[in-house]
Amino acid sequence: MSEILGRDKVIQLLQDGLSAATADQTEITFGGARKSLTRFANNYIHQNVNESNTSIRVRSVFGRKIGSASTNRLDASAIKETIKMAEQLARLQVEDPDFVSLPGPDANTGELSYPEPDQATYFSDPQLRADGAGAICRKAVANGLIAAGAFETTGVEEAVVNSLGLASYYQGTSSHLNTVVMGDAGSGWGERLSRKVGEIDYEAVAEEAVGKALRSQSPIALDPGEYEVILEEYAVAEMLNYMSYLGFGALSIQEDRSFMELGKQIMSPLVTIYDDGNSPEGIVSPFDAEGVHRRKVTLIDKGVANAVVYDSYTANREIGKHNTGHSSGAQGDVGAIPLNMFIGAGDKTKEEMIKSIKRGLWVTRFHYVNPLVPEKAVLTGMTRDGTFLIENGEITRPVKNFRFTQSAVEALNEVVALSSDRRLLPSFAFGNLVPAIHCRRFTFNSATEF
Amino acid sequence: MRDLANVALDTAQQKGASYADIRFVTDRSRNVSVKNGKVESLSNNESQGFGVRVIVNGAWGFSSSSLVTRAEIERVTAEAVQIARASASVFRQPVQLGDPISIQDRYVTPADIDVFSVSLDDQIKILLEADLEMRRVEGIRIANGMISTLKTSKIFASTEGSYIEQELSESGAGIEVYAVNEDGVQKRSYPNAFGGGWETGGFEYVHKLDLPGHARRISEEAIQLLTAPVCPTGVTNLILSSNQVALQVHESCGHPVELDRVMGMEASFAGTSFLTTEKKGNFRYGSDLVNVYADATVPRGLGTFGYDDEGVPAQRTPLILNGIFQDYITDRETAATLGQQSNGTSRADGWNRIPMIRMTNINLEPGNAGSLEDIIAATDEGIFMDTNKSWSIDDKRLNFQFGLEAAWEIKNGKRGQLYRNPAYTGMTPVFWGSCDLIGSRDHWTVWGVPNCGKGEPMQGMHVGHGAAPARFHNIKIFGA
């Protein structure tokens, strides 16, 4: 499928499907996507791919029994077969006492408002992506370096209808570019995310990554231990992503495995974190996997654990809680999660943050992060693509990469400054807008050879 | 489907492609999961489509679609050619694929019980029985169980004359429990964490696992872990369960030997590899006991198939022999750069992804140290760690750190104190150099790993690792 079907056609397709359903409640979700990605390495394009796909997912409910089925065929007979399969599965189910209902139309108030999809991004020209890759490769070659990276464009068309009368539809776009630029002994990173491919400044990305790669050559070895650090936006966004599913969803609270102690000061008063799927500063995704409009939720308010996000299932399990429109559609331990997070900006420039440090580390980004103690948000991972020693208020030397093992909550409790500039970077599905942060303490427990 | 395949191959050649292939893929899966006595999810999924790969002016282009019609195949093929022309505007050397390959064949995964022949009712019964057993132990907060069954139908056709049909089937199942107190959350899993155990073949694998028979044990251990002391810090003899040896092989042997990583093609995402090409044939990777093969032919391995997604036959390739690094896993393009032929490891995660080098079954060959209990009995002092909880490794695959679900002190050949939150860390060649005991073939299992990630866009892959329990000396351990 290479065309955008449009609201009327998609909603009609799903309503036709609903008319064939026999369950007490039925939900049909449509996803259409056109994704293109150009990958480069060793200063040339080595992969260049395009994908047009659709998906139909059906949830059927008999009483408190739920079954689901999916297909990527769009013809009427395939949709009817998928509904039939979901209903068969639902009948096999045992009752789920915690299930109350699919969300009704009253879950949403008012019309959705979202930016028009960017046509240049939705139907991106492969030559435009090649031009971006080429600019980075040429800059790398001119400096005796090697570039690798990926330039991606995505256009999506999504809709959810259910038999209670809920109907949500939107179109959206995003574009993402990343690059690592490598020398013999050190590398640099650059990355951008935007709703529009035309706003991706690939020359600036090349400048940033090449500059950092040149400064990263011949790193010194330092002992692992506790360091004062500045975490650049890339590192902050990575840490935040893991926090999103470890503790910012209601299910993790309900199952006693969240780091969130609601009402308690768990982070620095400088830290405020909120989720807002409708903010034009992010990658807008106006409703969740159940078609419920996303509400703005302040997760951390000046360091205090303020709230978590809900879907219909987890909201119905707690008295007085409301669905915040954060269903991930995933089963199991995930539940509702925030995917459009913002950390409030600070008032410092990065230069001012560096000047305030007598001896510390500048960390560009993290690699291969994984939770070690999930309920305390203890994460481990490596530094990568630009780790530097700060001495007497100046970046002095590149440093060989460290492994960190550190609670993300405790790191955010040690924040003494945040940058006034923020950068939009990928979340697990959309985007997070984050500043760089200055932490008094951060634990590195081993080092590697490069 | 031959006619539709020819539409793509003819269109590509007419538009100037020097090489083209098309893959038609249909994936079907059924998933059942239970949680705390109720069926958490019951789903049936299918995805079908095709992908066309072309070389034009020496550069790659790929496009794909879920709509399988003649007109769409023509459109997508033309798009792939257009993309290849854009690739050619930023390229260094023309792609070389080595000798042409022309094979006509059909491969079907051997299976005793068709994975889709077992009713969902029967699958739910297995899981609810295990769930009941898990929750019989007081204090269990969450009990989970899952069974997944999958079938993939593939057709591969190329301008070199290949036409290969494959019908692959596999199944996975597992259970896990969580216990919670004021000190934290403790987890135990069977037969493995993060998705359970997986094999190609039929539903007989799920029956063999006997999930209900292991349910009570993991619950009792989770409860015991709540009050166990945190694993001490130190340097000691480390004995690993075979499922953890499998993951250690995955991260510190399987990924470093991927030749596309070595050549920098994954640099911006998953990283590169310390295993640069001058090390081939001479680098000491591990002790003399360490023998590792890539084997896509081993029965029931999750990385077992007939042909890879470039139409290259499944193979068994020595990677490390007596501790010395021998060879990489390759696809046609990377093998040609070393003057070799592909050893058949190029696979794609579905019709909408381009094939790339993926692990097949990367197996640490068995030793002669007997069972886990034999290895423990042969150890005066050390620690035994069981089943993975966390993993991380640097972008050249040197510095790694693993967290595990449980550990036991080993003293005078016997298990002693239970520890919670154990972890160990090391550097790849030093770690494998310290391997001094590997269990025997009777205690060797080909573990399925259903969640190997690589590439942009991200491609998940199902791979396998033959492993037995093993011992390593002078390893840094600590408690998280």
Side-chain angles (χ1 to χ4, degrees), chain B residues 425-436:
Chain B
T425 186
M427 300 289 275
T428 293
V430 178
F431 181 81
W432 287 108
S434 75
C435 180
D436 60 7

PDB file of all heavy atoms in Angstrom, chain B residues 425-436:
ATOM      1  N   THR B 425      31.289 -10.038  35.927  1.00  0.00           N
ATOM      2  CA  THR B 425      31.744  -9.168  34.853  1.00  0.00           C
ATOM      3  C   THR B 425      33.103  -9.633  34.366  1.00  0.00           C
ATOM      4  O   THR B 425      33.828 -10.333  35.078  1.00  0.00           O
ATOM      5  CB  THR B 425      31.791  -7.700  35.331  1.00  0.00           C
ATOM      6  OG1 THR B 425      32.109  -6.848  34.232  1.00  0.00           O
ATOM      7  CG2 THR B 425      32.797  -7.486  36.442  1.00  0.00           C
ATOM      8  N   GLY B 426      33.456  -9.281  33.140  1.00  0.00           N
ATOM      9  CA  GLY B 426      34.749  -9.698  32.605  1.00  0.00           C
ATOM     10  C   GLY B 426      35.001  -9.140  31.221  1.00  0.00           C
ATOM     11  O   GLY B 426      34.216  -8.330  30.710  1.00  0.00           O
ATOM     12  N   MET B 427      36.132  -9.587  30.638  1.00  0.00           N
ATOM     13  CA  MET B 427      36.499  -9.208  29.273  1.00  0.00           C
ATOM     14  C   MET B 427      36.526 -10.493  28.441  1.00  0.00           C
ATOM     15  O   MET B 427      37.070 -11.515  28.874  1.00  0.00           O
ATOM     16  CB  MET B 427      37.866  -8.537  29.244  1.00  0.00           C
ATOM     17  CG  MET B 427      37.939  -7.266  30.093  1.00  0.00           C
ATOM     18  SD  MET B 427      37.005  -5.895  29.399  1.00  0.00           S
ATOM     19  CE  MET B 427      38.213  -5.236  28.271  1.00  0.00           C
ATOM     20  N   THR B 428      35.991 -10.443  27.237  1.00  0.00           N
ATOM     21  CA  THR B 428      35.681 -11.657  26.476  1.00  0.00           C
ATOM     22  C   THR B 428      36.840 -12.661  26.370  1.00  0.00           C
ATOM     23  O   THR B 428      36.693 -13.811  26.808  1.00  0.00           O
ATOM     24  CB  THR B 428      35.134 -11.273  25.086  1.00  0.00           C
ATOM     25  OG1 THR B 428      33.862 -10.648  25.280  1.00  0.00           O
ATOM     26  CG2 THR B 428      34.985 -12.479  24.181  1.00  0.00           C
ATOM     27  N   PRO B 429      38.016 -12.314  25.796  1.00  0.00           N
ATOM     28  CA  PRO B 429      39.043 -13.352  25.617  1.00  0.00           C
ATOM     29  C   PRO B 429      39.614 -13.847  26.952  1.00  0.00           C
ATOM     30  O   PRO B 429      39.973 -15.015  27.066  1.00  0.00           O
ATOM     31  CB  PRO B 429      40.136 -12.652  24.793  1.00  0.00           C
ATOM     32  CG  PRO B 429      39.549 -11.384  24.318  1.00  0.00           C
ATOM     33  CD  PRO B 429      38.451 -11.019  25.249  1.00  0.00           C
ATOM     34  N   VAL B 430      39.677 -12.955  27.941  1.00  0.00           N
ATOM     35  CA  VAL B 430      40.189 -13.367  29.260  1.00  0.00           C
ATOM     36  C   VAL B 430      39.217 -14.375  29.874  1.00  0.00           C
ATOM     37  O   VAL B 430      39.623 -15.411  30.422  1.00  0.00           O
ATOM     38  CB  VAL B 430      40.338 -12.132  30.193  1.00  0.00           C
ATOM     39  CG1 VAL B 430      40.814 -12.559  31.579  1.00  0.00           C
ATOM     40  CG2 VAL B 430      41.279 -11.121  29.567  1.00  0.00           C
ATOM     41  N   PHE B 431      37.929 -14.077  29.736  1.00  0.00           N
ATOM     42  CA  PHE B 431      36.906 -14.950  30.320  1.00  0.00           C
ATOM     43  C   PHE B 431      36.956 -16.339  29.687  1.00  0.00           C
ATOM     44  O   PHE B 431      37.013 -17.361  30.387  1.00  0.00           O
ATOM     45  CB  PHE B 431      35.521 -14.324  30.104  1.00  0.00           C
ATOM     46  CG  PHE B 431      34.396 -15.134  30.681  1.00  0.00           C
ATOM     47  CD1 PHE B 431      34.090 -15.051  32.031  1.00  0.00           C
ATOM     48  CD2 PHE B 431      33.662 -15.997  29.886  1.00  0.00           C
ATOM     49  CE1 PHE B 431      33.060 -15.803  32.578  1.00  0.00           C
ATOM     50  CE2 PHE B 431      32.624 -16.749  30.420  1.00  0.00           C
ATOM     51  CZ  PHE B 431      32.319 -16.652  31.759  1.00  0.00           C
ATOM     52  N   TRP B 432      36.939 -16.387  28.362  1.00  0.00           N
ATOM     53  CA  TRP B 432      36.956 -17.703  27.701  1.00  0.00           C
ATOM     54  C   TRP B 432      38.303 -18.403  27.929  1.00  0.00           C
ATOM     55  O   TRP B 432      38.362 -19.640  27.948  1.00  0.00           O
ATOM     56  CB  TRP B 432      36.632 -17.581  26.215  1.00  0.00           C
ATOM     57  CG  TRP B 432      35.173 -17.293  26.009  1.00  0.00           C
ATOM     58  CD1 TRP B 432      34.616 -16.122  25.609  1.00  0.00           C
ATOM     59  CD2 TRP B 432      34.092 -18.194  26.255  1.00  0.00           C
ATOM     60  NE1 TRP B 432      33.241 -16.230  25.584  1.00  0.00           N
ATOM     61  CE2 TRP B 432      32.895 -17.490  25.971  1.00  0.00           C
ATOM     62  CE3 TRP B 432      34.005 -19.518  26.689  1.00  0.00           C
ATOM     63  CZ2 TRP B 432      31.636 -18.080  26.103  1.00  0.00           C
ATOM     64  CZ3 TRP B 432      32.748 -20.100  26.821  1.00  0.00           C
ATOM     65  CH2 TRP B 432      31.592 -19.381  26.528  1.00  0.00           C
ATOM     66  N   GLY B 433      39.351 -17.625  28.138  1.00  0.00           N
ATOM     67  CA  GLY B 433      40.658 -18.223  28.465  1.00  0.00           C
ATOM     68  C   GLY B 433      40.653 -18.890  29.820  1.00  0.00           C
ATOM     69  O   GLY B 433      41.507 -19.747  30.110  1.00  0.00           O
ATOM     70  N   SER B 434      39.708 -18.502  30.672  1.00  0.00           N
ATOM     71  CA  SER B 434      39.656 -19.063  32.023  1.00  0.00           C
ATOM     72  C   SER B 434      38.718 -20.266  32.113  1.00  0.00           C
ATOM     73  O   SER B 434      38.502 -20.788  33.206  1.00  0.00           O
ATOM     74  CB  SER B 434      39.197 -17.985  33.006  1.00  0.00           C
ATOM     75  OG  SER B 434      37.807 -17.771  32.863  1.00  0.00           O
ATOM     76  N   CYS B 435      38.182 -20.718  30.995  1.00  0.00           N
ATOM     77  CA  CYS B 435      37.241 -21.859  31.010  1.00  0.00           C
ATOM     78  C   CYS B 435      38.026 -23.145  31.265  1.00  0.00           C
ATOM     79  O   CYS B 435      38.904 -23.513  30.477  1.00  0.00           O
ATOM     80  CB  CYS B 435      36.512 -21.930  29.665  1.00  0.00           C
ATOM     81  SG  CYS B 435      35.332 -23.291  29.577  1.00  0.00           S
ATOM     82  N   ASP B 436      37.741 -23.813  32.381  1.00  0.00           N
ATOM     83  CA  ASP B 436      38.523 -25.016  32.686  1.00  0.00           C
ATOM     84  C   ASP B 436      37.690 -26.290  32.830  1.00  0.00           C
ATOM     85  O   ASP B 436      38.263 -27.373  32.981  1.00  0.00           O
ATOM     86  CB  ASP B 436      39.409 -24.800  33.923  1.00  0.00           C
ATOM     87  CG  ASP B 436      38.627 -24.455  35.180  1.00  0.00           C
ATOM     88  OD1 ASP B 436      37.381 -24.507  35.145  1.00  0.00           O
ATOM     89  OD2 ASP B 436      39.264 -24.132  36.200  1.00  0.00           O
TER      90      ASP B 436
END
